[in-house]
Amino acid sequence: MNRMKLADCKYSVVLMALLLGMVACAQQKVSDPIRLNQIGFYPTVQKIAVVITDTENEFYISTPDLKGKLFSGKLSEVRSSPYSSKRTRIADFSAFTKEGNYVLVVPNIGNSYPFEIKNKVFDNVTKASIKSYYFQRASTSLPEQYAGKWKRNAGHPDDTVLIHGSAASDKRPEGFVISSSRGWYDAGDYNKYIVNSGITMGTLLSAYEDFSVYFDKLNLNIPESKNEVPDLLDEVVWNLRWMLTMQDPNDGGVYHKCTNATFDGMVMPDFTTLPRYAVQKGTAATLDFAAVTAQASRVYRTFEKQFPGLADSCLRAAVDAWQWALKNSNVKYNQQDINKNFNPNIATGAYDDSYFKDEFSWAASELYITTKDDAYYQSVMRYNEAKLIIPSWASVHALGEYSLLRFNSSLTPLGQKDFDSRKSKLLILTNNLLQDIDKSIYETVMGQSKSDFVWGSNAVCANQGVALLYAYQMSGDLKYVKAAHGNLDYLLGRNGTGYSFVTGCGDKTPMHPHHRPSQADGVFYPIPGLLVGGSNPGMQDKCWYRTSVADEAYVDDVCSFASNETAINWNAPFVYLVGAIEAIQLQNEKMK
Ligand code: 9MR
């Protein structure tokens, strides 16, 4: 494997493109109105670009030196944006299947960034998106051998974490010291939050459970790469071991976060010396923890030899957490209230969910699947929701449903009897998503509803893709893969901003993410493989945005934590989406 390309995703290709660009400049220029997946396309699937124009009618495919027309086509009818005066046309070149490096040209407008047509075209993106978790590791140095030019010293040993007043108990009074090492930094900040780790870990473990054959083979060049465990699972263990430290062994309750009182400055992790606190136990954190550890227990059971006792410890932790949540079923995390009563004030991310039905159903689902104990299934149904919705950190019901669908054939009869209604709820959700793709200006599921454009809109997009891929796994219908792929294309460039939103993957990518190590390390390029938040007209960061149009409100500025931060829970559905599409494509190629 080419380590340079793995770590850098497409930076080496950028250089090539720049050189080719110099040649090309004489005739045409890379044109912002041409939006496409900047990485590329599989030979035999849909290939489209979006052109912002209502005057031009023709396009063609050429090599990056712009010599010759290899494929010509007509642009589609004009489509109008619901959010702005933009008008677009679709360039469909699906019929062009020859492997190679190309650009798409629209006369009088210009040419696209170069892209590739080949099998396994997202292999490097998948690897980079998982490897990004390695770069988020707390409590360890990242040597050059694995981190390349982003090597750094260890930060946040977290071996001396203080119990905050809000978390004090008889056995662990305020100021009591616990060790809470390892874990991943949540995002652009250096704190570690259980709620957000919940959906992140659930999504990554599910990616593995759904596509283990594919993930088993991925080599990420991490320190554990030589052991007999798939690298994805080695990476996940780094955060799992931290999560386990966040449970109070005396009662099973789980602390909401391991955090500074205030955010660190834009410095490298080893520069920070602020005290760390374990803050208040809560129902959401405890149930998310129960779900993750129950799922981890069955996944790591296969690797008992490499991780002796881990599966058992996880299951015990999950059951204890569940029991705590039953007794403490409505403990909200309310930072304002905490700050009225305790010192120091805590000002870091809140992840303050106060609706727990979905956390109960998710935890019960994972406990049921792992233990096959019908009592847990009764809880699944007690906390069931009538409708399935796209998951987010605060809304995790779908994660349990996905797992129940995945494991249907190995459930007890009690769980199996609801399969049809469970599947039908999934298909209602995903068929709704499919409805107006051919009217949408970027021909995507993403962005059809203004409500898609929230803080972390790119995770909404990726999670829509994941839901569609579950619909495919349940139905075998490739129309769902095509739509999920459309959302992948959105994230890699076919969108209202023209950015490929994954650092280092593509040509126009975020260069100034709100991500402390990327900002402070003195390396020109940001750490690769990180999905930034994306368009967010909420603009809560009060930074300067060129526009507040829903699908364009994005700024590649370190100031912009509301549109240009990175976060583990946004990367996880991206890992699922891109990895699953690679896995499905490989399977389908093999079947041909
Ligand atoms: O992703 C979170 C988003 O849904 C919330 O609206 C926002 C404000 O509470 O917080 C986001 O999460 C941030 C967290 O609080 C702290 N670490 C960075 C996260 C991403 O911006």
Side-chain angles (χ1 to χ4, degrees), residues 186-189 193 263 349-351 393 455 561 565-567 569-570:
D186 182 59
D189 63 318
Y193 308 82
F263 286 114
Y351 290 117
W393 61 261
W455 189 325
F561 54 81
E565 187 162 357
T566 71
N569 65 314
W570 303 338

Side-chain angles (χ1 to χ4, degrees), residues 234-477:
D234 274 323
E235 192 50 60
V236 164
V237 161
W238 190 266
N239 202 54
L240 182 62
R241 295 221 188 269
W242 163 67
M243 287 184 82
L244 290 168
T245 70
M246 291 291 281
Q247 182 172 46
D248 182 347
N250 301 301
D251 62 7
V254 177
Y255 305 110
H256 191 74
K257 55 180 169 175
C258 171
T259 184
N260 297 352
T262 54
F263 286 114
D264 289 303
M266 281 286 166
V267 295
M268 290 303 282
D270 55 319
F271 270 69
T272 66
T273 49
L274 294 172
R276 304 279 268 183
Y277 298 94
V279 185
Q280 193 203 281
K281 292 169 197 161
T283 307
T286 303
L287 288 168
D288 285 342
F289 172 100
V292 168
T293 48
Q295 185 175 17
S297 167
R298 61 175 185 263
V299 171
Y300 290 96
R301 182 75 62 197
T302 318
F303 302 96
E304 186 59 31
K305 207 175 100 214
Q306 291 82 12
F307 301 119
L310 180 62
D312 284 341
S313 307
C314 282
L315 187 55
R316 208 171 315 117
V319 172
D320 290 351
W322 174 256
Q323 292 300 333
W324 187 92
L326 289 181
K327 284 183 230 131
N328 300 272
S329 59
N330 198 24
V331 184
K332 298 179 179 138
Y333 183 80
N334 183 326
Q335 209 150 269
Q336 271 177 349
D337 284 354
I338 289 176
N339 289 342
K340 275 186 213 142
N341 297 315
F342 304 101
N343 279 317
N345 274 10
I346 302 292
T348 51
Y351 290 117
D352 48 352
D353 190 11
S354 55
Y355 177 82
F356 305 128
K357 221 175 138 188
D358 54 313
E359 282 81 10
F360 270 108
S361 72
W362 179 32
S365 300
E366 300 299 349
L367 276 157
Y368 167 60
I369 296 164
T370 300
T371 62
K372 307 286 186 302
D373 179 345
D374 279 348
Y376 288 118
Y377 193 73
Q378 279 150 7
S379 294
V380 172
M381 294 317 281
R382 187 171 319 127
Y383 298 106
N384 192 26
E385 304 273 6
K387 266 175 65 181
L388 198 65
I389 56 169
I390 297 295
S392 65
W393 61 261
S395 177
V396 289
H397 174 65
L399 298 187
E401 295 292 287
Y402 294 162
S403 288
L404 290 164
L405 287 168
R406 175 185 319 127
F407 284 106
N408 184 60
S409 59
S410 59
L411 301 181
T412 66
L414 187 69
Q416 280 188 355
K417 76 177 176 9
D418 294 319
F419 178 72
D420 287 343
S421 69
R422 182 158 284 127
K423 176 175 161 185
S424 131
K425 275 196 247 173
L426 170 69
L427 295 184
I428 289 171
L429 167 70
T430 50
N431 291 348
N432 271 335
L433 293 177
L434 292 187
Q435 246 168 27
D436 285 319
I437 296 190
D438 53 358
K439 295 195 195 100
S440 116
I441 51 163
Y442 295 100
E443 189 135 339
T444 49
V445 164
M446 174 62 186
Q448 288 184 35
S449 164
K450 202 171 186 178
S451 61
D452 290 345
F453 296 104
V454 292
W455 189 325
S457 61
N458 284 341
V460 175
C461 176
N463 272 310
Q464 289 171 340
V466 173
L468 290 160
L469 291 170
Y470 276 106
Y472 164 71
Q473 291 172 82
M474 289 302 119
S475 68
D477 193 335

